Amino acid sequence: TVWGRHLAEDLKCDLVILTNSARLWPHTVRRLEQMGFDPKWFRGVATSGDVTNRVLQLGPGAHDEELLPRDHPLWADLSLPAGEQGRNRRCLHLLWREHDKENGIDLEALGIDVTEDPHMADFVLVHWFDSLALEDGTLRPVSREEISAMLAECAKRELPMLVANPDIVAHKGDKLLPMPGSLAVEYAELGCPAEKIHLLGKPSPVVYNLAKTKFLSHLSKEEIIAVGDSLEHDIQGACGWRVDSAFITTGIHCDDLQGEECSIPEDAWCDPQELERLCREHNADPTICAEVFGLYDSRDER
């Protein structure tokens, strides 16, 4: 919390949180408060759940050029098939068992029906992966095996997939747990074309565009730096959006990067050869690397 207060109040930096949470931004704000951060330090929060909600608020055939160009495949994938205009869109919705409309998404209010039949769906919507939304408004627990079988049927039809949390793994304690983005990887392996799989958070530019439009319209990209510990999401996303980035080496890649302390790149605590390999693997080129994200004290002689 010290660095947050210093950056916001003393240095007058505009701090914006970009998170691949499938929930809407108020949920993240509450979590920040629980962690000891004052929400006033942040100019705003943009979540992949916010992107998902904004995208699905648009009617079939509509587009939002503040998020993605008019010719982006997402807009066509959210249109209804020719000759079927006038009906509600239908989606196969995977989500979490504690899903609530306040923090997640209210598809009924958006005029989108749910179906558990892959042959009736227009697209697949992934918020989480322990439950399936049913037509009567209830949820049914599903196993990963059941999900794989449904995705195989959806892939045969090349149904578009919208992923409200593109993270593939996440830390929980000292463990790495699978996340909804792992279903996007599986869906591609089942043969669905890459252009039909839409990641609505990092590394896609869509969440960066949302944050820029809502909170940072007064800044140029040259005045923005993205900070994160995921090469695949935070750093690759920043590179694709063409802003500087700071890679924190002691996050989810820590186990890969443990080794003798090095100074290449600057301040990185890692094995430099492994860092270079991981960056190539994830098509990521961080501007700088650091062991932690915090305040630098010139008196520190480590």
Side-chain angles (χ1 to χ4, degrees):
T1 59
V2 173
W3 63 261
R5 182 185 299 111
H6 179 63
L7 287 171
E9 297 182 354
D10 300 333
L11 300 182
K12 307 301 181 186
C13 292
D14 292 320
L15 302 179
V16 176
I17 300 291
L18 266 66
T19 170
N20 278 355
S21 170
R23 293 176 169 87
L24 301 178
W25 67 266
H27 180 266
T28 298
V29 171
R30 290 192 292 271
R31 291 193 64 188
L32 288 170
E33 289 181 295
Q34 293 167 2
M35 296 166 64
F37 293 94
D38 188 335
K40 296 195 299 291
W41 298 340
F42 301 94
R43 192 169 183 90
V45 173
T47 75
S48 49
D50 294 331
V51 174
T52 304
N53 199 65
R54 178 159 164 169
V55 163
L56 292 178
Q57 283 178 349
L58 300 171
H63 60 274
D64 185 340
E65 292 188 70
E66 288 186 339
L67 297 182
L68 292 170
R70 178 190 292 261
D71 60 355
H72 193 279
L74 173 64
W75 309 128
D77 283 344
L78 289 176
S79 299
L80 285 167
E84 297 188 32
Q85 283 73 21
R87 68 165 173 83
N88 285 353
R89 290 173 290 182
R90 296 187 291 261
C91 78
L92 191 150
H93 189 195
L94 294 164
L95 65 172
W96 55 87
R97 65 174 63 90
E98 299 90 2
H99 178 269
D100 65 274
K101 295 178 180 180
E102 179 182 354
N103 292 306
I105 194 166
D106 187 348
L107 292 177
E108 183 180 4
L110 299 178
I112 298 173
D113 298 333
V114 298
T115 178
E116 56 183 313
D117 184 351
H119 300 95
M120 294 294 294
D122 298 307
F123 62 93
V124 180
L125 177 61
V126 181
H127 275 81
W128 194 251
F129 49 85
D130 63 20
S131 299
L132 177 69
L134 305 181
E135 290 89 337
D136 62 6
T138 61
L139 305 180
R140 177 172 70 82
V142 286
S143 66
R144 193 62 184 254
E145 292 72 24
E146 287 182 272
I147 291 174
S148 295
M150 286 188 288
L151 292 184
E153 293 302 311
C154 294
K156 291 176 184 176
R157 298 184 59 214
E158 297 188 354
L159 289 184
M161 172 185 277
L162 278 62
V163 186
N165 180 340
D167 285 348
I168 296 173
V169 295
H171 266 297
K172 187 170 184 179
D174 60 352
K175 297 180 180 179
L176 282 177
L177 300 180
M179 297 293 284
S182 62
L183 295 188
V185 174
E186 179 179 351
Y187 201 45
E189 292 173 347
L190 288 168
C192 185
E195 63 271 17
K196 291 286 187 178
I197 301 174
H198 303 287
L199 306 180
L200 300 182
K202 300 174 290 186
S204 168
V206 66
V207 70
Y208 295 88
N209 289 335
L210 176 67
K212 180 78 161 63
T213 297
K214 291 184 66 176
F215 308 118
L216 300 172
S217 59
H218 59 294
L219 297 178
S220 68
K221 287 188 178 182
E222 289 73 20
E223 298 173 284
I224 298 172
I225 185 169
V227 180
D229 70 339
S230 170
L231 288 168
E232 185 170 10
H233 296 100
D234 302 315
I235 307 306
Q236 186 188 121
C239 291
W241 201 56
R242 299 186 181 278
V243 293
D244 287 340
S245 61
F247 172 49
I248 307 305
T249 63
T250 50
I252 65 171
H253 296 291
C254 184
D255 290 345
D256 297 317
L257 296 172
Q258 285 180 358
E260 301 243 75
E261 185 173 350
C262 64
S263 58
I264 304 173
E266 59 192 80
D267 295 330
W269 176 80
C270 61
D271 179 325
Q273 286 76 32
E274 186 62 17
L275 174 61
E276 184 177 354
R277 184 193 69 78
L278 282 173
C279 287
R280 287 198 305 266
E281 177 184 327
H282 295 292
N283 193 28
D285 184 18
T287 310
I288 60 172
C289 298
E291 182 179 343
V292 294
F293 180 45
L295 299 179
Y296 172 70
D297 189 338
S298 61
R299 296 168 296 181
D300 189 344
E301 297 181 355
R302 288 183 302 169

